[in-house]
Amino acid sequence: MVGVRMLLVEQNWPLSLTNKNLSGEYLSKAMEFEKKLMENALDWYSLCVVVLFLKMFATSAYQGFYRLSRRVFLNPEDAQVFQKHPAAEELPQVRRASKAWLNDLENIPIFCSLGIAYVFLGAPPKYASWLFSIFT
């Protein structure tokens, strides 16, 4: 946030949000600011990696929520913690989350490898936003 604030000060932007006067000058500065904010491939790569991390975190939370709220566990050790018997089969929601995890584990390392190669090879940044966003 400090970097964004410094960029705003550098561009002579008013830092208060109370100024509602959006003249053409402010709109052109807003477009300039947007270009500077995500102008290279590393910015897009970083954003997409964070989004993928949050997606995997949400999948884990979803899976954990259904396991804990229904108290259905396949592993005897997990079931013993809640004084339950191990279940014969997994809940459908947990199975689906597990499949999503397996899919992520197959595809995200490839994305990370190819994405960082794209950044380090100096490929055109204008295509990075499309390529990285489509995968994400």
Side-chain angles (χ1 to χ4, degrees):
M1 193 65 178
V2 173
V4 171
R5 186 174 179 83
M6 289 176 64
L7 187 58
L8 290 174
V9 169
E10 185 179 292
Q11 294 294 321
N12 298 322
W13 272 63
L15 293 179
S16 71
L17 296 175
T18 58
N19 186 357
K20 302 287 185 196
N21 182 12
L22 292 176
S23 66
E25 177 186 348
Y26 284 119
L27 290 177
S28 65
K29 283 187 179 183
M31 290 172 61
E32 250 180 75
F33 175 71
E34 185 179 337
K35 283 182 186 177
K36 284 187 179 184
L37 190 61
M38 300 292 271
E39 71 181 0
N40 62 25
L42 183 60
D43 294 339
W44 284 103
Y45 175 74
S46 301
L47 175 69
C48 290
V49 166
V50 168
V51 168
L52 289 171
F53 168 78
L54 292 174
K55 176 194 174 278
M56 292 180 76
F57 184 78
T59 303
S60 294
Y62 177 84
Q63 189 174 23
F65 171 78
Y66 276 100
R67 276 197 177 139
L68 292 174
S69 66
R70 304 296 197 281
R71 298 185 192 263
V72 175
F73 303 99
L74 290 181
N75 295 333
E77 300 87 11
D78 296 337
Q80 187 179 11
V81 170
F82 293 96
Q83 288 86 30
K84 296 275 193 173
H85 295 290
E89 66 178 35
E90 198 72 80
L91 292 169
Q93 296 90 346
V94 175
R95 275 197 313 262
R96 184 173 183 181
S98 294
K99 288 179 183 179
W101 253 102
L102 290 175
N103 187 36
D104 287 346
L105 290 176
E106 290 175 2
N107 294 314
I108 291 176
I110 294 169
F111 168 76
C112 290
S113 302
L114 292 176
I116 204 70
Y118 185 93
V119 170
F120 285 149
L121 290 175
K126 67 180 179 179
Y127 300 121
S129 62
W130 286 99
L131 293 173
F132 294 157
S133 299
I134 286 172
F135 179 85
T136 304

